[in-house]
Amino acid sequence: QNIPYITTNRYQYPYQYHTSIMKCTILLATLASAAAFSVSPKQVTQATGVAAAITISTLSLSLSPNAAIAKDSPIEAGEQIFNANCAACHAGGQNVIMPDKTLEKEALETYLAGGRNEKSIVNQVTNGKNAMPAFGGRLDEDQINNVAAFVIATSESGWDE
């Protein structure tokens, strides 16, 4: 069966999505409880209105998580995609399959076909090579470009930071 891959964060990051909804629910319940113990009806109305406004705005971000990511820089978005798709083999810039071929600056310069640049990383992520699977069918072009930007930036600054 060919099941289309859903690329919204709600499906890529279900734990984060459900955690956001849970946090909103807890916040609303806490604020509503505090409002119930207020002295005057006016304070109850104000506190409930604030709680509702906060919850609605937070839920709107949770229900359309790509809106939040759109505000991220390509490097921040790339980090999220990297953590969800690449970190199993490349946590901390390492390589659990081929330990010499890490994502450290020197290793990328030595081993990456085409050298250490975003274009070479995009090619490797899109098409795969050796033990690395191709992500071209799983991630869209922007996601792959963001991962490449993240890898280049982090290899420059160091993966330990």
Side-chain angles (χ1 to χ4, degrees), residues 6 22-23 27 30 37 42 49 51 67 70 74 82 90 108 110 119 125 139 142 153-154 161:
I6 300 169
M22 182 180 68
K23 288 177 183 178
L27 176 65
T30 303
F37 292 104
K42 182 178 180 183
F82 180 92
H90 294 289
L108 290 173
T110 303
K119 182 179 178 185
V125 172
L139 301 174
D142 287 339
T154 309
E161 295 177 7

Side-chain angles (χ1 to χ4, degrees), residues 3-13 66 137-140 143:
I3 299 172
Y5 182 75
I6 300 169
T7 59
T8 62
N9 285 346
R10 183 177 338 176
Y11 299 104
Q12 284 181 334
Y13 311 109
N66 286 333
R138 224 184 297 187
L139 301 174
D140 66 33
Q143 290 173 315

Side-chain angles (χ1 to χ4, degrees), residues 20-156:
S20 296
I21 291 176
M22 182 180 68
K23 288 177 183 178
C24 290
T25 304
I26 291 169
L27 176 65
L28 179 60
T30 303
L31 291 173
S33 296
F37 292 104
S38 295
V39 178
S40 72
K42 182 178 180 183
Q43 289 175 325
V44 171
T45 304
Q46 289 173 340
T48 304
V50 169
I54 291 170
T55 302
I56 289 169
S57 63
T58 307
L59 278 175
S60 69
L61 286 176
S62 297
L63 295 175
S64 60
N66 286 333
I69 287 198
K71 295 177 185 173
D72 290 346
S73 73
I75 294 169
E76 291 168 328
E79 180 179 18
Q80 291 178 0
I81 297 161
F82 180 92
N83 288 337
N85 294 279
C86 313
C89 294
H90 294 289
Q94 300 305 300
N95 185 331
V96 298
I97 307 298
M98 303 179 85
D100 292 341
K101 296 184 177 182
T102 69
L103 301 179
E104 302 286 344
K105 183 177 181 178
E106 296 77 20
L108 290 173
E109 290 168 351
T110 303
Y111 297 111
L112 184 61
R116 183 184 160 269
N117 59 68
E118 287 188 30
K119 182 179 178 185
S120 296
I121 293 172
V122 165
N123 184 51
Q124 178 106 2
V125 172
T126 302
N127 302 309
K129 185 176 181 184
N130 299 325
M132 182 173 162
F135 284 85
R138 224 184 297 187
L139 301 174
D140 66 33
E141 186 178 338
D142 287 339
Q143 290 173 315
I144 292 172
N145 287 331
N146 290 343
V147 167
F150 168 71
V151 169
I152 289 293
T154 309
S155 70
E156 184 66 37

